[in-house]
Amino acid sequence: GEDVEQSLFLSVREGDSSVINCTYTDSSSTYLYWYKQEPGAGLQLLTYIFSNMDMKQDQRLTVLLNKKDKHLSLRIADTQTGDSAIYFCAEKNSNYQLIWGAGTKLIIKP
Amino acid sequence: DAGVTQSPTHLIKTRGQHVTLRCSPISGHKSVSWYQQVLGQGPQFIFQYYEKEERGRGNFPDRFSARQFPNYSSELNVNALLLGDSALYLCASSLTGTGMNTEAFFGQGTRLTVV
């Protein structure tokens, strides 16, 4: 069945770049998304990429998509303490449903 | 402009009871989706409604049901609650439920605890 996998934790130093990786299995995915969830807060859509693109940049965020390997990554430049959160990767399947990863907790070291 | 609102924010129920969760979409949005997020996991799709019709259903038992009203608000009902139903229930709204922005707007969720 459809599956989205992410590593559970990532620790980076403040000011460095963070790269969060995700793999998915559904080759018919139309859109792929990155969400941010902070403690006590709802899910915030950070960015998305259409499946026929390979890169998208939005200020400090860069999304890379390798469709052949079904690999998606989110790069956060100049990581700040406010970036501490859980980051979810999700893919939209052909039934318009979102399939989510388990989330990567980003830990910022001073 | 109000975002997606969910009520209640927290709820404690006993096993075997029934629960109703409510969601009001952003004004003008006609599609509502429901997700269950168990602690430490990503959200799991439960239902999507568009124009009061069920458009999609995830892999959940028949104890879970939902409906959408003429004003596009929605209710999620869960019968015969189990301990495993304890989770954060999230509602998302969108204009049409298709395209890139289907789940751009989420409510804060309802935290359900079953004891």
Side-chain angles (χ1 to χ4, degrees):
Chain A
E2 299 155 330
D3 195 20
V4 176
E5 294 194 356
Q6 305 175 237
S7 52
L8 293 182
F9 297 95
L10 176 67
S11 179
V12 298
R13 292 203 177 278
E14 189 175 359
D16 287 351
S17 291
S18 305
V19 179
I20 304 171
N21 294 302
C22 167
T23 57
Y24 60 98
T25 57
D26 187 359
S27 58
S28 67
S29 296
T30 53
Y31 293 95
L32 296 122
Y33 300 80
W34 284 103
Y35 288 85
K36 179 181 181 182
Q37 189 174 43
E38 295 176 273
L43 283 160
Q44 176 191 355
L45 175 64
L46 284 178
T47 187
Y48 64 91
I49 189 167
F50 189 44
S51 58
N52 69 352
M53 298 168 64
D54 52 20
M55 188 181 97
K56 181 178 180 182
Q57 187 151 6
D58 183 1
Q59 297 182 331
R60 291 193 297 125
L61 305 179
T62 304
V63 178
L64 295 177
L65 174 60
N66 182 328
K67 196 170 182 181
K68 174 177 169 289
D69 295 337
K70 299 190 185 69
H71 182 267
L72 183 74
S73 68
L74 173 70
R75 179 176 179 269
I76 305 172
D78 187 25
T79 309
Q80 302 298 310
T81 54
D83 296 323
S84 293
I86 299 175
Y87 290 81
F88 290 95
C89 164
E91 59 159 347
K92 181 173 289 184
N93 66 14
S94 54
N95 293 321
Y96 306 115
Q97 299 174 5
L98 281 189
I99 310 298
W100 300 69
T104 299
K105 185 170 185 176
L106 179 61
I107 300 162
I108 315 300
K109 296 180 288 189
Chain B
D1 193 16
V4 180
T5 56
Q6 292 186 243
S7 62
T9 54
H10 295 83
L11 202 51
I12 300 174
K13 289 285 192 178
T14 305
R15 275 179 298 175
Q17 285 189 313
H18 161 270
V19 69
T20 298
L21 310 181
R22 296 178 175 83
C23 172
S24 292
I26 290 171
S27 178
H29 284 192
K30 298 181 178 180
S31 178
V32 168
S33 298
W34 287 96
Y35 288 84
Q36 180 195 64
Q37 187 179 17
V38 172
L39 197 62
Q41 297 182 20
Q44 297 284 318
F45 173 77
I46 311 175
F47 288 108
Q48 185 188 73
Y49 275 77
Y50 174 66
E51 287 282 15
K52 302 178 285 295
E53 296 287 327
E54 181 183 303
R55 178 183 269 165
R57 183 184 183 116
N59 189 23
F60 279 79
D62 291 343
R63 300 185 296 107
F64 288 77
S65 63
R67 54 181 176 165
Q68 187 176 33
F69 299 98
N71 66 354
Y72 303 110
S73 67
S74 179
E75 281 182 356
L76 175 70
N77 295 283
V78 187
N79 291 324
L81 285 166
L82 303 173
L83 294 179
D85 296 329
S86 295
L88 181 68
Y89 288 85
L90 294 161
C91 173
S93 82
S94 69
L95 281 168
T96 64
T98 61
M100 62 189 180
N101 60 357
T102 300
E103 271 81 0
F105 304 99
F106 276 87
Q108 296 287 84
T110 294
R111 172 72 64 187
L112 173 65
T113 303
V114 182
V115 297

